[in-house]
Amino acid sequence: MNAENNSASIMNSEVAAPKKMPFHKYKPFQPVALKDRTWPDQVISKAPRWCSVDLRDGNQALIEPMSPDEKLKMYKLLLEIGFTEIEVGFPAASQTDFDFVRLIIEENLIPDGVTIQVLCQAREELIARTCEAVAGAKQVIFHLYNSTSTLQRRVVFNMSREEVIRLATDATEMVKTHTRGLVAAGTDLTLEYSPESYTATELDFAVEICDAVMKVWQPTVEHKMILNLPSTVEMATPNIYADQVEWFIRNLPEREKAVISLHTHNDRGTGVAASELGLMAGADRIEGTLFGNGERTGNLDIITMAMNMFSQGIDPGLYLSDMPKIVAVSEECTKIPIHIRQPYAGELVFTAFSGSHQDAIRKGMNHVQSGSDGQWEVPYLPIDPADVGGSYRETVRVNSQSGKGGVAFILESYFGVSLPRPMLVEFSPVIQKASEADGGELKPDVIWDTFLKEFIEVEGPYRLLSYKVNSEDGREKCAATIKVGDNEIEVQGEGNGPIDAFIAAMVETLNEPLNVVDYQEYALNEGSEAQAICIIALTDDKGDRFYGVGLSENTTTAAFASIIAAINRKWR
Ligand code: KIV
Ligand code: ZN
């Protein structure tokens, strides 16, 4: 096909009638009849009880499940973060999980105040094996589940409601029996029951089965059991999940004897929102994983939910300040890279490329530094990146979308160079052109090299070879050797200071007036290696302005170099 035909076919395909998706295959989720819902008026004001299910739900979903060493590494990270409830595995289903649970118990790796949780299906041999796994642990949550979903009852188990309730209550009885020995030996045991696929279960049935389990287990207000309401598959908008939670809580007999726990997945991409609204609807406890690793689209991302609270001035109850470490350990153990846009943790989440954003961030940062009463008030940055181990530097990166602000920021924060505005106006198009030519991001070292070429190592007819400055009778006298083209010439001048004297010498050589209209000199870094930077602007007889920059350990050399650079830029 020649180029003409090719473009014609692209044109044709671009205007082809849109095709239709087979949406008729799906039914809308029926909303909950709860006209007087109260959750929309609630405000989250304190952190829930968090439970990490990284080592179970997260691990089960990995292409390559964690090795024992990786499990241990992840477990230690979860402890460092401050989780006090950790689902450490499904010991009856996996030997690795069983061995891991034994290891942390036998090696005394469970700190006081930390409760391990183990998942188990409603089957006697699995219940017995799970009890074996947790023998000797001080505090255990026995997490029993069976699916209650309408669809699964019909197409998977072919069981009536009564039969499913019986399955759950029998299993609860078995847990009671099999854990008697553990409790007698001093284990503080809590039952957690999950009507798995809660979001796909009729609400009255979910309440009925949970109530039946409670009647068997006999929790008390002092020693509650946990009722976990999984959105095993996320099926509707998060407001519907919140309605389902509020409905459940309102209709559960003896609610005061249960801790209501949520366990959301992320099939529609709203796992965090569902847990947040569910918490507003009265839940007490949240299960999830770091960065949402878990089955299919993942579990609730605990980091996002906790950081969302943090950004509202609420103590999240988890320590997430060493985010780079959390990212590194998670990536190592799950072998899943954290996305660059992952909330609070991704490489780009505190970065602005757009010029107007960069400018606003810079002003916001100045405002914060100069007195915002300790409150974080920086546009485009929901939190201070430093709170999660980031730095202000990472907030600004430069590409062709960036403007003066970004360039100024990079020079200032990476190199300590602050440019006068007219110079920035001159330099910014140079950077713009370079980034357009490159097509991507200009890293700080490239910006610095471009700055050097533009203002310091300027190609031109003049080069300063050597100079001498003497004071005589309160006047400075300067004698310098300048290379002009292929010739070396000696120049001399006199003035109130060295700069004055050197300018006078150059004026004589050039035979035209030069005025210093802007001058600043400061140290670039501290200590014995300190370099001085001199930024100078000269005008010629026509009033045109030329900036030049000099860098040297010696302030006079830096100043003279800046003058030569400015003159060379004039002749460029
Ligand atoms: O998603 C789910 O329903 C689960 C249960 C086992 C709680 O992981
Ligand atoms: Zn799950």
mmCIF file of all heavy atoms in Angstrom, residues 407-445:
data_model
loop_
_atom_site.group_PDB
_atom_site.id
_atom_site.type_symbol
_atom_site.label_atom_id
_atom_site.label_comp_id
_atom_site.label_asym_id
_atom_site.label_seq_id
_atom_site.Cartn_x
_atom_site.Cartn_y
_atom_site.Cartn_z
ATOM 1 N N VAL A 407 12.099 25.564 35.485
ATOM 2 C CA VAL A 407 13.541 25.709 35.271
ATOM 3 C C VAL A 407 14.157 26.401 36.492
ATOM 4 O O VAL A 407 15.191 25.971 37.020
ATOM 5 C CB VAL A 407 13.799 26.535 33.988
ATOM 6 C CG1 VAL A 407 15.283 26.771 33.804
ATOM 7 C CG2 VAL A 407 13.208 25.823 32.782
ATOM 8 N N ALA A 408 13.492 27.453 36.949
ATOM 9 C CA ALA A 408 13.993 28.195 38.114
ATOM 10 C C ALA A 408 14.088 27.248 39.309
ATOM 11 O O ALA A 408 15.075 27.236 40.048
ATOM 12 C CB ALA A 408 13.055 29.346 38.446
ATOM 13 N N PHE A 409 13.055 26.426 39.453
ATOM 14 C CA PHE A 409 13.004 25.505 40.588
ATOM 15 C C PHE A 409 14.159 24.512 40.550
ATOM 16 O O PHE A 409 14.840 24.275 41.549
ATOM 17 C CB PHE A 409 11.663 24.762 40.556
ATOM 18 C CG PHE A 409 11.526 23.778 41.664
ATOM 19 C CD1 PHE A 409 10.954 24.151 42.873
ATOM 20 C CD2 PHE A 409 11.990 22.484 41.535
ATOM 21 C CE1 PHE A 409 10.850 23.256 43.906
ATOM 22 C CE2 PHE A 409 11.887 21.571 42.564
ATOM 23 C CZ PHE A 409 11.309 21.964 43.755
ATOM 24 N N ILE A 410 14.404 23.937 39.378
ATOM 25 C CA ILE A 410 15.471 22.923 39.271
ATOM 26 C C ILE A 410 16.824 23.570 39.568
ATOM 27 O O ILE A 410 17.630 23.033 40.341
ATOM 28 C CB ILE A 410 15.486 22.283 37.860
ATOM 29 C CG1 ILE A 410 14.179 21.552 37.576
ATOM 30 C CG2 ILE A 410 16.708 21.374 37.680
ATOM 31 C CD1 ILE A 410 14.009 20.192 38.186
ATOM 32 N N LEU A 411 17.070 24.746 38.984
ATOM 33 C CA LEU A 411 18.371 25.384 39.199
ATOM 34 C C LEU A 411 18.561 25.743 40.670
ATOM 35 O O LEU A 411 19.639 25.585 41.237
ATOM 36 C CB LEU A 411 18.495 26.646 38.333
ATOM 37 C CG LEU A 411 18.677 26.374 36.830
ATOM 38 C CD1 LEU A 411 18.685 27.678 36.045
ATOM 39 C CD2 LEU A 411 19.959 25.593 36.563
ATOM 40 N N GLU A 412 17.449 26.182 41.278
ATOM 41 C CA GLU A 412 17.525 26.599 42.677
ATOM 42 C C GLU A 412 17.698 25.389 43.601
ATOM 43 O O GLU A 412 18.600 25.354 44.441
ATOM 44 C CB GLU A 412 16.209 27.293 43.028
ATOM 45 C CG GLU A 412 16.395 28.637 43.679
ATOM 46 C CD GLU A 412 15.069 29.357 43.736
ATOM 47 O OE1 GLU A 412 14.686 29.953 42.703
ATOM 48 O OE2 GLU A 412 14.416 29.299 44.795
ATOM 49 N N SER A 413 16.821 24.372 43.419
ATOM 50 C CA SER A 413 16.812 23.311 44.414
ATOM 51 C C SER A 413 17.926 22.294 44.207
ATOM 52 O O SER A 413 18.371 21.680 45.158
ATOM 53 C CB SER A 413 15.446 22.628 44.471
ATOM 54 O OG SER A 413 15.155 22.087 43.227
ATOM 55 N N TYR A 414 18.367 22.096 42.966
ATOM 56 C CA TYR A 414 19.447 21.120 42.760
ATOM 57 C C TYR A 414 20.827 21.764 42.781
ATOM 58 O O TYR A 414 21.797 21.134 43.147
ATOM 59 C CB TYR A 414 19.271 20.379 41.420
ATOM 60 C CG TYR A 414 18.204 19.315 41.460
ATOM 61 C CD1 TYR A 414 16.860 19.648 41.330
ATOM 62 C CD2 TYR A 414 18.534 17.975 41.630
ATOM 63 C CE1 TYR A 414 15.870 18.682 41.369
ATOM 64 C CE2 TYR A 414 17.551 16.994 41.672
ATOM 65 C CZ TYR A 414 16.220 17.359 41.541
ATOM 66 O OH TYR A 414 15.246 16.386 41.588
ATOM 67 N N PHE A 415 20.906 23.027 42.328
ATOM 68 C CA PHE A 415 22.239 23.618 42.165
ATOM 69 C C PHE A 415 22.451 24.893 42.979
ATOM 70 O O PHE A 415 23.534 25.473 42.949
ATOM 71 C CB PHE A 415 22.500 23.895 40.668
ATOM 72 C CG PHE A 415 22.308 22.660 39.826
ATOM 73 C CD1 PHE A 415 21.154 22.474 39.073
ATOM 74 C CD2 PHE A 415 23.255 21.644 39.843
ATOM 75 C CE1 PHE A 415 20.960 21.313 38.333
ATOM 76 C CE2 PHE A 415 23.071 20.481 39.100
ATOM 77 C CZ PHE A 415 21.922 20.313 38.338
ATOM 78 N N GLY A 416 21.405 25.344 43.657
ATOM 79 C CA GLY A 416 21.526 26.537 44.507
ATOM 80 C C GLY A 416 21.650 27.817 43.702
ATOM 81 O O GLY A 416 22.082 28.849 44.216
ATOM 82 N N VAL A 417 21.260 27.786 42.432
ATOM 83 C CA VAL A 417 21.393 28.979 41.581
ATOM 84 C C VAL A 417 20.029 29.629 41.410
ATOM 85 O O VAL A 417 19.086 29.006 40.939
ATOM 86 C CB VAL A 417 21.942 28.586 40.186
ATOM 87 C CG1 VAL A 417 21.909 29.761 39.237
ATOM 88 C CG2 VAL A 417 23.357 28.046 40.333
ATOM 89 N N SER A 418 19.979 30.890 41.796
ATOM 90 C CA SER A 418 18.701 31.574 41.631
ATOM 91 C C SER A 418 18.881 32.673 40.584
ATOM 92 O O SER A 418 19.710 33.574 40.744
ATOM 93 C CB SER A 418 18.293 32.051 43.005
ATOM 94 O OG SER A 418 17.727 33.260 42.966
ATOM 95 N N LEU A 419 18.138 32.565 39.501
ATOM 96 C CA LEU A 419 18.343 33.485 38.368
ATOM 97 C C LEU A 419 17.439 34.697 38.474
ATOM 98 O O LEU A 419 16.273 34.572 38.845
ATOM 99 C CB LEU A 419 18.027 32.771 37.046
ATOM 100 C CG LEU A 419 18.860 31.548 36.688
ATOM 101 C CD1 LEU A 419 18.539 31.088 35.266
ATOM 102 C CD2 LEU A 419 20.349 31.840 36.803
ATOM 103 N N PRO A 420 17.961 35.877 38.081
ATOM 104 C CA PRO A 420 17.072 37.039 37.991
ATOM 105 C C PRO A 420 16.014 36.803 36.908
ATOM 106 O O PRO A 420 16.286 36.092 35.935
ATOM 107 C CB PRO A 420 18.004 38.190 37.589
ATOM 108 C CG PRO A 420 19.342 37.611 37.380
ATOM 109 C CD PRO A 420 19.328 36.153 37.684
ATOM 110 N N ARG A 421 14.853 37.404 37.102
ATOM 111 C CA ARG A 421 13.733 37.102 36.200
ATOM 112 C C ARG A 421 14.044 37.311 34.714
ATOM 113 O O ARG A 421 13.753 36.428 33.889
ATOM 114 C CB ARG A 421 12.506 37.932 36.626
ATOM 115 C CG ARG A 421 11.246 37.338 36.112
ATOM 116 C CD ARG A 421 10.037 38.155 36.442
ATOM 117 N NE ARG A 421 9.126 38.157 35.311
ATOM 118 C CZ ARG A 421 8.413 37.119 34.937
ATOM 119 N NH1 ARG A 421 8.477 35.999 35.607
ATOM 120 N NH2 ARG A 421 7.623 37.187 33.875
ATOM 121 N N PRO A 422 14.677 38.459 34.317
ATOM 122 C CA PRO A 422 14.918 38.635 32.876
ATOM 123 C C PRO A 422 15.804 37.518 32.298
ATOM 124 O O PRO A 422 15.643 37.127 31.148
ATOM 125 C CB PRO A 422 15.644 39.987 32.782
ATOM 126 C CG PRO A 422 15.470 40.640 34.093
ATOM 127 C CD PRO A 422 15.150 39.605 35.110
ATOM 128 N N MET A 423 16.711 37.023 33.124
ATOM 129 C CA MET A 423 17.580 35.957 32.659
ATOM 130 C C MET A 423 16.790 34.660 32.466
ATOM 131 O O MET A 423 16.997 33.899 31.511
ATOM 132 C CB MET A 423 18.661 35.749 33.723
ATOM 133 C CG MET A 423 19.863 35.035 33.234
ATOM 134 S SD MET A 423 21.041 35.080 34.573
ATOM 135 C CE MET A 423 22.204 33.916 33.958
ATOM 136 N N LEU A 424 15.848 34.446 33.388
ATOM 137 C CA LEU A 424 14.983 33.276 33.307
ATOM 138 C C LEU A 424 14.122 33.331 32.042
ATOM 139 O O LEU A 424 13.930 32.333 31.343
ATOM 140 C CB LEU A 424 14.096 33.284 34.556
ATOM 141 C CG LEU A 424 13.548 31.981 35.054
ATOM 142 C CD1 LEU A 424 14.634 30.944 35.188
ATOM 143 C CD2 LEU A 424 12.880 32.226 36.404
ATOM 144 N N VAL A 425 13.649 34.551 31.749
ATOM 145 C CA VAL A 425 12.823 34.741 30.543
ATOM 146 C C VAL A 425 13.650 34.388 29.306
ATOM 147 O O VAL A 425 13.156 33.804 28.346
ATOM 148 C CB VAL A 425 12.297 36.200 30.476
ATOM 149 C CG1 VAL A 425 11.629 36.497 29.142
ATOM 150 C CG2 VAL A 425 11.356 36.467 31.637
ATOM 151 N N GLU A 426 14.952 34.702 29.366
ATOM 152 C CA GLU A 426 15.835 34.398 28.244
ATOM 153 C C GLU A 426 16.153 32.904 28.166
ATOM 154 O O GLU A 426 16.240 32.327 27.090
ATOM 155 C CB GLU A 426 17.162 35.143 28.489
ATOM 156 C CG GLU A 426 17.665 35.918 27.302
ATOM 157 C CD GLU A 426 18.951 36.634 27.674
ATOM 158 O OE1 GLU A 426 18.871 37.670 28.379
ATOM 159 O OE2 GLU A 426 20.003 36.136 27.283
ATOM 160 N N PHE A 427 16.328 32.292 29.330
ATOM 161 C CA PHE A 427 16.791 30.897 29.367
ATOM 162 C C PHE A 427 15.659 29.893 29.098
ATOM 163 O O PHE A 427 15.875 28.843 28.493
ATOM 164 C CB PHE A 427 17.423 30.616 30.741
ATOM 165 C CG PHE A 427 18.071 29.266 30.844
ATOM 166 C CD1 PHE A 427 18.887 28.771 29.826
ATOM 167 C CD2 PHE A 427 17.880 28.472 31.969
ATOM 168 C CE1 PHE A 427 19.489 27.519 29.924
ATOM 169 C CE2 PHE A 427 18.482 27.221 32.074
ATOM 170 C CZ PHE A 427 19.287 26.753 31.038
ATOM 171 N N SER A 428 14.458 30.271 29.530
ATOM 172 C CA SER A 428 13.340 29.339 29.440
ATOM 173 C C SER A 428 13.074 28.834 28.008
ATOM 174 O O SER A 428 12.893 27.625 27.802
ATOM 175 C CB SER A 428 12.147 30.039 30.057
ATOM 176 O OG SER A 428 11.077 29.302 30.015
ATOM 177 N N PRO A 429 13.082 29.716 26.971
ATOM 178 C CA PRO A 429 12.886 29.194 25.603
ATOM 179 C C PRO A 429 14.003 28.251 25.155
ATOM 180 O O PRO A 429 13.775 27.356 24.346
ATOM 181 C CB PRO A 429 12.875 30.455 24.727
ATOM 182 C CG PRO A 429 12.687 31.594 25.652
ATOM 183 C CD PRO A 429 13.159 31.178 27.001
ATOM 184 N N VAL A 430 15.201 28.456 25.698
ATOM 185 C CA VAL A 430 16.318 27.560 25.341
ATOM 186 C C VAL A 430 15.985 26.146 25.832
ATOM 187 O O VAL A 430 16.147 25.153 25.126
ATOM 188 C CB VAL A 430 17.639 28.064 25.991
ATOM 189 C CG1 VAL A 430 18.793 27.119 25.672
ATOM 190 C CG2 VAL A 430 17.951 29.481 25.546
ATOM 191 N N ILE A 431 15.490 26.081 27.059
ATOM 192 C CA ILE A 431 15.115 24.795 27.654
ATOM 193 C C ILE A 431 13.910 24.200 26.916
ATOM 194 O O ILE A 431 13.855 23.013 26.610
ATOM 195 C CB ILE A 431 14.804 24.977 29.161
ATOM 196 C CG1 ILE A 431 16.102 25.232 29.917
ATOM 197 C CG2 ILE A 431 14.049 23.803 29.749
ATOM 198 C CD1 ILE A 431 17.061 24.038 29.937
ATOM 199 N N GLN A 432 12.975 25.075 26.603
ATOM 200 C CA GLN A 432 11.764 24.637 25.878
ATOM 201 C C GLN A 432 12.162 23.961 24.559
ATOM 202 O O GLN A 432 11.684 22.876 24.225
ATOM 203 C CB GLN A 432 10.904 25.892 25.602
ATOM 204 C CG GLN A 432 9.698 25.653 24.744
ATOM 205 C CD GLN A 432 8.509 25.220 25.587
ATOM 206 O OE1 GLN A 432 8.590 25.273 26.814
ATOM 207 N NE2 GLN A 432 7.450 24.789 24.964
ATOM 208 N N LYS A 433 13.094 24.611 23.852
ATOM 209 C CA LYS A 433 13.547 24.083 22.565
ATOM 210 C C LYS A 433 14.249 22.729 22.769
ATOM 211 O O LYS A 433 13.993 21.777 22.027
ATOM 212 C CB LYS A 433 14.539 25.084 21.943
ATOM 213 C CG LYS A 433 14.393 25.183 20.450
ATOM 214 C CD LYS A 433 15.128 26.404 19.950
ATOM 215 C CE LYS A 433 15.846 26.067 18.665
ATOM 216 N NZ LYS A 433 16.824 27.042 18.288
ATOM 217 N N ALA A 434 15.069 22.677 23.798
ATOM 218 C CA ALA A 434 15.810 21.435 24.057
ATOM 219 C C ALA A 434 14.835 20.307 24.397
ATOM 220 O O ALA A 434 14.999 19.177 23.925
ATOM 221 C CB ALA A 434 16.793 21.639 25.202
ATOM 222 N N SER A 435 13.805 20.612 25.175
ATOM 223 C CA SER A 435 12.895 19.529 25.562
ATOM 224 C C SER A 435 12.010 19.136 24.382
ATOM 225 O O SER A 435 11.661 17.966 24.230
ATOM 226 C CB SER A 435 12.063 19.894 26.788
ATOM 227 O OG SER A 435 11.359 21.055 26.562
ATOM 228 N N GLU A 436 11.687 20.091 23.523
ATOM 229 C CA GLU A 436 10.900 19.727 22.338
ATOM 230 C C GLU A 436 11.732 18.829 21.418
ATOM 231 O O GLU A 436 11.236 17.859 20.857
ATOM 232 C CB GLU A 436 10.439 20.982 21.596
ATOM 233 C CG GLU A 436 9.131 21.488 22.177
ATOM 234 C CD GLU A 436 8.794 22.904 21.741
ATOM 235 O OE1 GLU A 436 9.501 23.453 20.863
ATOM 236 O OE2 GLU A 436 7.843 23.443 22.291
ATOM 237 N N ALA A 437 13.019 19.164 21.302
ATOM 238 C CA ALA A 437 13.897 18.359 20.441
ATOM 239 C C ALA A 437 14.051 16.959 21.031
ATOM 240 O O ALA A 437 14.038 15.959 20.323
ATOM 241 C CB ALA A 437 15.258 19.028 20.318
ATOM 242 N N ASP A 438 14.141 16.897 22.348
ATOM 243 C CA ASP A 438 14.333 15.611 23.017
ATOM 244 C C ASP A 438 13.027 14.814 23.067
ATOM 245 O O ASP A 438 13.026 13.597 23.020
ATOM 246 C CB ASP A 438 14.835 15.899 24.446
ATOM 247 C CG ASP A 438 15.022 14.649 25.249
ATOM 248 O OD1 ASP A 438 14.049 14.189 25.891
ATOM 249 O OD2 ASP A 438 16.136 14.130 25.213
ATOM 250 N N GLY A 439 11.922 15.536 23.193
ATOM 251 C CA GLY A 439 10.599 14.891 23.226
ATOM 252 C C GLY A 439 10.211 14.393 24.602
ATOM 253 O O GLY A 439 9.090 13.984 24.824
ATOM 254 N N GLY A 440 11.127 14.399 25.545
ATOM 255 C CA GLY A 440 10.790 13.863 26.867
ATOM 256 C C GLY A 440 11.179 14.819 27.975
ATOM 257 O O GLY A 440 11.197 16.034 27.797
ATOM 258 N N GLU A 441 11.509 14.220 29.111
ATOM 259 C CA GLU A 441 11.842 15.014 30.287
ATOM 260 C C GLU A 441 13.299 15.466 30.218
ATOM 261 O O GLU A 441 14.159 14.733 29.737
ATOM 262 C CB GLU A 441 11.648 14.141 31.529
ATOM 263 C CG GLU A 441 12.001 14.863 32.809
ATOM 264 C CD GLU A 441 11.963 13.953 34.030
ATOM 265 O OE1 GLU A 441 11.702 12.752 33.890
ATOM 266 O OE2 GLU A 441 12.218 14.474 35.128
ATOM 267 N N LEU A 442 13.561 16.675 30.683
ATOM 268 C CA LEU A 442 14.949 17.123 30.807
ATOM 269 C C LEU A 442 15.351 16.967 32.262
ATOM 270 O O LEU A 442 14.824 17.642 33.147
ATOM 271 C CB LEU A 442 15.103 18.580 30.382
ATOM 272 C CG LEU A 442 14.971 18.886 28.889
ATOM 273 C CD1 LEU A 442 15.421 20.307 28.603
ATOM 274 C CD2 LEU A 442 15.755 17.917 28.022
ATOM 275 N N LYS A 443 16.278 16.081 32.522
ATOM 276 C CA LYS A 443 16.735 15.817 33.885
ATOM 277 C C LYS A 443 17.572 17.006 34.365
ATOM 278 O O LYS A 443 18.144 17.743 33.544
ATOM 279 C CB LYS A 443 17.587 14.548 33.916
ATOM 280 C CG LYS A 443 16.811 13.305 33.547
ATOM 281 C CD LYS A 443 16.001 12.828 34.736
ATOM 282 C CE LYS A 443 15.391 11.463 34.461
ATOM 283 N NZ LYS A 443 14.325 11.145 35.372
ATOM 284 N N PRO A 444 17.686 17.169 35.697
ATOM 285 C CA PRO A 444 18.430 18.317 36.227
ATOM 286 C C PRO A 444 19.844 18.457 35.654
ATOM 287 O O PRO A 444 20.271 19.575 35.354
ATOM 288 C CB PRO A 444 18.464 18.040 37.730
ATOM 289 C CG PRO A 444 17.231 17.257 37.981
ATOM 290 C CD PRO A 444 17.014 16.418 36.767
ATOM 291 N N ASP A 445 20.565 17.349 35.447
ATOM 292 C CA ASP A 445 21.938 17.508 34.947
ATOM 293 C C ASP A 445 21.946 18.048 33.512
ATOM 294 O O ASP A 445 22.848 18.784 33.122
ATOM 295 C CB ASP A 445 22.733 16.205 35.076
ATOM 296 C CG ASP A 445 22.042 15.027 34.429
ATOM 297 O OD1 ASP A 445 20.820 15.118 34.216
ATOM 298 O OD2 ASP A 445 22.719 14.028 34.117
#
